[in-house]
Amino acid sequence: MDAPRSAAIENLMDERRTFVPDPAFVARANATADLYAEAERDYVAFWERLARERISWSKPFETTLEWDLPFAKWFVGGELNVAYNCLDRHVEAGRGDKVAYHWVGEPGETRSLTYADLLREVGKAANALRELGVEKGDRVAIYMPMIPELPIAMLACARIGAPHTVVFGGFSAEALSGRINDCGAKVLITADGGYRRGKEVGLKHHADEAMASTPTIEHAIVVNRLGHGVHMVPFRDHWWHDLVGRQSADCPPVAVDSEHMLYLLYTSGTTAKPKGILHTTAGYLLGTSFTHEMIFDLKPDDVYWCAADIGWVTGHSYIVYGPLANGATGVMYEGAPDTPSWDRWWQIVEDYKVSILYMAPTAIRAFMKQGPQYPAAHDLSSLRVLGSVGEPINPEAWLWYHEHVGRGAAPIVDTWWQTETGMILISPLPGVTTTKPGSATFPFPGIKADVVDADGVSVPLGGGGYLVLKQPWPAMLRGIYGDQERYRETYWSRFPGMYFAGDGAKRDEEGYYWLLGRVDDVMNVAGHRISTTEVESALVDHRSVAEAAVVGVKDEVSGQAIYAFVILKASGEPSDALAVQLREHVAYVIGPIARPKYLMFVPDLPKTRSGKIMRRLLRDIAEGRTLGDTTTLADATVVDTIRENSGSAEE
Ligand code: WT7
């Protein structure tokens, strides 16, 4: 049975520290509080104004929104080209010499591409796709390392109206072929390989294995990154440098409808078949570029670095489309944060004078674990805005980021969104919002969010429940490719008329949103619905703890009991006494009901390749089950190490 109305999820943590915007920042901030008021008056008119001001249209739109729940059409009747908006218009305005990307390869080589360079390369790549018979509407799969040819390939597709589907380079041949077959892609763009943790990582053999079972693929284009040759299938496979190299740079952008499919990005549920999340053109471009400019306070001379992989939506929206539409200068890094040593990122920040840095809490906690000496050894004074995305950020990780990376000065934007939402939906606006460590603060202007109970009734401030969205937004997914019934069922059926994100959230008395993790992860201890996020944050609050993951395990008395997996900082020593201390610490911070019954020290945690903790695996380990599907796991050895130790968790 569901818990009583006010306690869909309990509100346990009480974080009271606040950070008021610095007046000097406020004076120059892109965003102002007026945006909230304007959007509140009429959200459709708000997005209409922005779409007319910010997008270069080949044909202006007639109707701003057609909303036939759950199907939205934005900027109906308009025509545009995304590559034109990201490249040509900047070059035409005389900004062709501005750097679009500073690229850093893991082994140390660098390349800087200006907007004029990028326009030329995109034109050539687009003509290459044309030569292979790719036409408007044909799908193109992309499976590449983090090299400049990856955004070039995406923009080349956009230039000719061919939707792309980028498959993260760390995925298997099977994952690749499944996605190619789901969307029926005609061409695959890949590379011989890339570098990761000082090693060469081959891609072409995975691509070959995948292409053995993808009947729709007619051609592959292969970037020569590693340079020592791979097997090429005659007539099917083409080297990028040959095929693209011989093309003309002149490729007129194809104007497409506002609702033309820009791309598909597959989200891997842990069990079910991956969903092809469908994004379209105009609304997506507007949503990503406007949020990027406001939330990161982007100025013309900023150097912006989003340290995600382009294989995830974060990279699509905030390395490629949003920043390029805004004419930003970005940094792209190919490799791992610890190669050759744990100060690689700080070296890059120093070298390129990065002013805006956007990364995931999992990376922040990994840096925390290594200690502040790494960022301290570098000049990070260029940093002026910091962002976080991907998971709830624990207050302690937030404070560490603030102090050791932001030197106590740079505002932090904790940005909540999803592959499905396309753009950031809940986030502070720097220079406007007073922040609280661990809170994503408020819905972005024009976004109507709510926290509801099991019956879909809004939970009063101070309570927790299910996060929902109550009106459409321009960058929202338009469906699941090939399965609109699944789209309705997955996102719109739990609470009629509302988009349910799958996340738990609470609002404090001042209306700040606090994300509580996926509702599937919520634990039920003696009838109390307790968020894993809150218990994890209480653990990370202890000075010895770098990272924690908690799960609910079956318990005869309380239904579920809390089992905590804890990674200590480099300075910490595991001991029974410390385990007792940590359990008491949780009881002290959020109350005895949340005291973990079991606690185990681990060297690492099983995570997905995008850095999310796989609690399902931890539950299996804790309950002594054989493990289910582990294909989305980034490092399989972690599970064995944890399992070997799991006898020793003591109550
Ligand atoms: C899920 C979406 C959004 C790009 C990367 C992930 C979690 C994301 C936050 C945040 C708390 C967050 C949610 C969400 N999430 N950002 N700032 N605070 N949780 O995209 O793989 O589609 O994952 O990530 O659980 O539903 P994704």
Side-chain angles (χ1 to χ4, degrees):
M1 271 305 289
D2 284 302
R5 172 152 294 190
S6 60
I9 302 174
E10 311 262 334
N11 172 7
L12 298 174
M13 279 283 262
D14 184 20
E15 173 61 58
R16 289 174 184 277
R17 291 165 283 202
T18 57
F19 291 81
V20 179
D22 174 51
F25 194 106
V26 176
R28 295 193 66 228
N30 289 351
T32 61
D34 304 347
L35 287 174
Y36 292 107
E38 183 193 347
E40 185 64 36
R41 277 194 299 278
D42 183 345
Y43 78 98
V44 178
F46 171 72
W47 291 118
E48 172 173 357
R49 171 180 73 79
L50 293 167
R52 297 211 190 276
E53 285 172 13
R54 304 180 62 90
I55 289 182
S56 302
W57 298 93
S58 327
K59 180 169 166 251
F61 60 93
E62 284 137 26
T63 311
T64 303
L65 172 66
E66 280 177 15
W67 181 220
D68 177 15
L69 193 141
F71 299 101
K73 287 185 184 159
W74 284 91
F75 313 120
V76 181
E79 289 183 8
L80 69 160
N81 181 276
V82 164
Y84 178 84
N85 275 271
C86 289
L87 304 172
D88 307 58
R89 63 171 174 167
H90 304 314
V91 176
E92 288 167 10
R95 294 188 294 272
D97 291 337
K98 185 172 180 185
V99 171
Y101 292 119
H102 292 292
W103 175 79
V104 181
E106 194 188 74
E109 69 274 57
T110 60
R111 271 169 81 183
S112 292
L113 285 104
T114 64
Y115 276 88
D117 294 335
L118 210 52
L119 175 59
R120 186 184 63 240
E121 296 308 316
V122 166
K124 288 160 72 178
N127 280 327
L129 289 171
R130 283 232 159 106
E131 186 181 318
L132 298 181
V134 177
E135 285 169 22
K136 180 175 163 186
D138 288 342
R139 277 80 59 216
V140 173
I142 301 178
Y143 181 60
M144 287 170 96
M146 281 285 283
I147 54 177
E149 286 80 3
L150 170 51
I152 291 170
M154 294 162 76
L155 290 159
C157 291
R159 196 163 189 86
I160 60 173
H164 55 70
T165 186
V166 178
V167 179
F168 171 59
F171 276 142
S172 64
E174 204 184 322
L176 177 59
S177 63
R179 286 156 173 77
I180 289 175
N181 288 331
D182 189 77
C183 70
K186 200 166 174 178
V187 166
L188 171 65
I189 308 179
T190 184
D192 52 354
Y195 294 90
R196 185 83 194 167
R197 296 229 147 78
K199 292 199 191 82
E200 294 187 352
V201 184
L203 281 181
K204 180 62 167 48
H205 62 284
H206 292 311
D208 283 337
E209 196 184 324
M211 284 187 284
S213 57
T214 55
T216 55
I217 292 285
E218 294 170 12
H219 293 280
I221 307 178
V222 187
V223 175
N224 185 19
R225 163 92 182 102
L226 301 178
H228 35 61
V230 286
H231 176 66
M232 298 287 278
V233 174
F235 307 109
R236 186 194 71 181
D237 298 350
H238 312 265
W239 285 111
W240 175 290
H241 54 268
D242 291 337
L243 178 72
V244 176
R246 66 166 181 259
Q247 304 293 327
S248 147
D250 183 30
C251 178
V254 174
V256 301
D257 190 90
S258 289
E259 284 296 331
H260 184 70
M261 177 168 42
L262 176 63
Y263 70 81
L264 292 170
L265 188 60
Y266 285 83
T267 60
S268 40
T270 39
T271 46
K273 171 170 175 273
K275 303 186 282 279
I277 303 301
L278 195 162
H279 283 292
T280 59
T281 299
Y284 178 80
L285 190 67
L286 176 67
T288 54
S289 64
F290 184 58
T291 49
H292 180 253
E293 187 172 325
M294 293 300 132
I295 293 169
F296 298 105
D297 192 51
L298 182 80
K299 301 284 197 283
D301 54 357
D302 271 313
V303 179
Y304 162 84
W305 181 17
C306 167
D309 192 287
I310 292 177
W312 312 120
V313 75
T314 309
H316 282 60
S317 299
Y318 296 108
I319 298 179
V320 184
Y321 293 114
L324 293 180
N326 290 334
T329 293
V331 168
M332 226 182 119
Y333 170 56
E334 178 186 30
D338 60 347
T339 308
S341 70
W342 274 104
D343 67 349
R344 184 71 190 264
W345 283 22
W346 315 125
Q347 184 68 54
I348 294 173
V349 169
E350 182 173 335
D351 289 349
Y352 291 96
K353 300 199 167 33
V354 172
S355 54
I356 305 170
L357 180 63
Y358 190 28
M359 63 180 184
T362 179
I364 298 168
R365 291 189 300 263
F367 290 128
M368 257 173 96
K369 184 180 173 196
Q370 300 305 319
Q373 68 277 18
Y374 294 100
H378 292 272
D379 178 7
L380 307 183
S381 61
S382 53
L383 288 172
R384 60 176 206 90
V385 179
L386 302 177
S388 167
V389 62
E391 300 163 82
I393 177 166
N394 329 97
E396 288 315 303
W398 194 105
L399 291 163
W400 192 93
Y401 196 27
H402 175 73
E403 184 181 340
H404 298 290
V405 181
R407 304 164 335 281
I412 294 182
V413 289
D414 171 8
T415 63
W416 178 88
W417 58 298
Q418 308 177 295
T419 304
E420 292 86 341
T421 70
M423 63 191 252
I424 297 168
L425 295 191
I426 303 181
S427 168
L429 292 178
V432 175
T433 313
T434 293
T435 53
K436 301 184 184 184
S439 169
T441 74
F442 303 105
F444 191 79
I447 303 305
K448 194 167 159 92
D450 200 357
V451 175
V452 299
D453 67 15
D455 300 323
V457 177
S458 186
V459 172
L461 297 188
Y466 306 97
L467 178 64
V468 295
L469 299 163
K470 291 182 153 173
Q471 81 199 5
W473 61 99
M476 67 190 279
L477 77 165
R478 299 300 197 265
I480 295 175
Y481 188 71
D483 197 347
Q484 294 302 48
E485 198 36 53
R486 190 174 175 203
Y487 165 64
R488 193 192 289 274
E489 172 64 33
T490 309
Y491 303 106
W492 299 89
S493 67
R494 175 73 181 82
F495 302 107
M498 305 176 210
Y499 173 91
F500 172 47
D503 284 5
K506 67 179 189 191
R507 278 177 303 205
D508 65 19
E509 300 297 343
E510 294 177 308
Y512 280 71
Y513 281 72
W514 300 75
L515 277 302
L516 297 174
R518 310 293 299 173
V519 292
D520 322 336
D521 293 334
V522 168
M523 304 169 291
N524 194 327
V525 182
H528 297 271
R529 310 221 346 123
I530 298 177
S531 134
T532 51
T533 302
E534 292 202 310
V535 181
E536 287 160 7
S537 290
L539 284 163
V540 176
D541 179 70
H542 190 279
R543 67 189 136 64
S544 303
V545 176
E547 175 144 29
V550 310
V551 296
V553 294
K554 275 199 199 71
D555 188 89
E556 285 190 356
V557 182
S558 55
Q560 280 192 320
I562 301 178
Y563 197 124
F565 296 84
V566 172
I567 301 180
L568 293 177
K569 286 184 184 159
S571 53
E573 258 313 308
S575 69
D576 290 348
L578 182 57
V580 172
Q581 221 186 77
L582 293 180
R583 293 170 55 237
E584 287 316 312
H585 186 74
V586 176
Y588 171 75
V589 176
I590 59 180
I593 184 71
R595 180 196 286 112
K597 186 164 180 183
Y598 309 99
L599 189 144
M600 187 168 119
F601 295 107
V602 289
D604 215 336
L605 289 166
K607 292 196 183 149
T608 64
R609 289 151 196 268
S610 61
K612 292 195 207 309
I613 293 166
M614 294 182 75
R615 290 193 184 70
R616 178 180 56 83
L617 281 186
L618 291 174
R619 265 193 301 270
D620 288 348
I621 293 170
E623 293 185 343
R625 274 194 297 274
T626 50
L627 301 184
D629 181 24
T630 56
T631 46
T632 45
L633 187 64
D635 175 6
T637 59
V638 171
V639 170
D640 298 330
T641 328
I642 298 175
R643 247 205 312 206
E644 280 157 25
N645 291 326
S646 64
S648 61
E650 293 284 321
E651 188 177 336

